[in-house]
Amino acid sequence: MFEITRSLPAPTDLSRNKYNTTQILDALSEICYSKCYLCENDKVQEVEVEHFLPHAKHPTLKFEWDNLFYSCKRCNRIKGDNYEYILNPCDVNHKVFRNLRLIPPSRVNDPIVIENLCPSNDPYYPNAITTVELLKKCFNDVSTAARRISRRELVNNLLDELNDILVIRSKLKSKKLSNFEEEQEIQRLIKMISPNYAFSAFWRWYVLDDETLNSKMSSYINF
């Protein structure tokens, strides 16, 4: 998950008791960088409006702007009404990036690992536990034929980006780059760890956990 700033006012369609409209989806797409707020995939073919707190249980929040997020169909259907209290990416107190480590797979059938880093004495620790459970399902669930296919597409997109960061790492590790060439690769990496980039939480942790990338990026990163 990635931090989201709800920088736009509530769309007027909400005042007319509508939430699944082009106006609202366009606004959600802008604040979520056109990627699913749960899996961070930006190649979303079927976009849905996701209710952070399910409106079946919280009917007063059905048309509440702060309760709506941009989601892919896969993640929305997996979350459903089952995961009610997860970390909120719009709440800076929830620290969605620092509390969740995401580790990409090396092969398409390998599981994607989500680790809970939230301290047990943190008031949002229960939310972090629920969020990890949800994200594991969002990334790994293959319980139906449709979910096997959508999971394969999701992971293939993730592996394509992983390949890009591995190429950057290989170049930065080389001693053959000029200062200009090294700066070019660092700028590519800065783009990948920016919130508007697909799967950015994965790449932020990749940089933090990799000695080579961390040393090259130490003066650039602040997250």
Side-chain angles (χ1 to χ4, degrees), residues 1 13 22 29 32 44 57-58 83 88 92 101 108 113 136 150 154 168-170 186 202 210 212 216:
M1 294 177 77
D13 280 354
T22 299
S29 175
C32 294
V44 180
K57 297 180 179 180
H58 303 270
Y83 296 90
N88 189 333
V92 295
R101 177 187 277 126
V108 72
V113 176
K136 283 182 177 179
S150 62
L154 171 64
I168 294 172
R169 183 187 185 278
S170 178
I186 288 175
F202 283 94
D210 184 272
T212 296
K216 294 291 185 180

Side-chain angles (χ1 to χ4, degrees), residues 103-141:
I103 303 174
S106 57
R107 299 173 299 183
V108 72
N109 290 326
D110 290 342
I112 291 172
V113 176
I114 317 292
E115 297 179 350
N116 180 9
L117 302 183
C118 185
S120 58
N121 61 348
D122 190 294
Y124 298 111
Y125 181 71
N127 302 68
I129 292 176
T130 305
T131 307
V132 168
E133 292 175 359
L134 170 59
L135 291 181
K136 283 182 177 179
K137 286 203 69 174
C138 287
F139 282 111
N140 298 314
D141 186 29

Side-chain angles (χ1 to χ4, degrees), residues 7-25:
S7 55
L8 299 176
T12 55
D13 280 354
L14 291 172
S15 63
R16 294 191 284 269
N17 289 343
K18 296 179 180 180
Y19 71 83
N20 195 17
T21 68
T22 299
Q23 181 196 59
I24 293 169
L25 280 168

Side-chain angles (χ1 to χ4, degrees), residues 95-195:
K95 303 174 185 175
V96 293
F97 169 67
R98 281 294 184 177
N99 283 332
L100 304 169
R101 177 187 277 126
L102 290 86
I103 303 174
S106 57
R107 299 173 299 183
V108 72
N109 290 326
D110 290 342
I112 291 172
V113 176
I114 317 292
E115 297 179 350
N116 180 9
L117 302 183
C118 185
S120 58
N121 61 348
D122 190 294
Y124 298 111
Y125 181 71
N127 302 68
I129 292 176
T130 305
T131 307
V132 168
E133 292 175 359
L134 170 59
L135 291 181
K136 283 182 177 179
K137 286 203 69 174
C138 287
F139 282 111
N140 298 314
D141 186 29
V142 291
S143 59
T144 67
R147 288 187 182 176
R148 281 196 297 273
I149 293 171
S150 62
R151 199 256 177 192
R152 184 174 65 242
E153 293 175 350
L154 171 64
V155 178
N156 276 329
N157 291 337
L158 181 59
L159 290 176
D160 286 344
E161 301 295 344
L162 175 61
N163 181 66
D164 288 345
I165 203 169
L166 289 174
V167 171
I168 294 172
R169 183 187 185 278
S170 178
K171 290 181 178 179
L172 288 175
K173 193 171 181 291
S174 169
K175 298 180 180 179
K176 299 177 182 180
L177 293 183
S178 66
N179 291 338
F180 175 76
E181 290 170 330
E182 180 172 299
E183 182 62 25
Q184 282 187 311
E185 297 307 319
I186 288 175
Q187 290 303 318
R188 292 188 180 98
L189 196 54
I190 288 174
K191 182 178 180 180
M192 291 189 72
I193 64 176
S194 300

Side-chain angles (χ1 to χ4, degrees), residues 34-53:
S34 299
K35 61 181 184 177
C36 175
Y37 88 103
L38 292 170
C39 71
E40 284 201 78
N41 188 9
D42 66 347
K43 295 180 174 65
V44 180
Q45 295 181 344
E46 294 186 78
V47 178
E48 296 187 345
V49 176
E50 208 283 308
H51 288 78
F52 188 76
L53 291 176

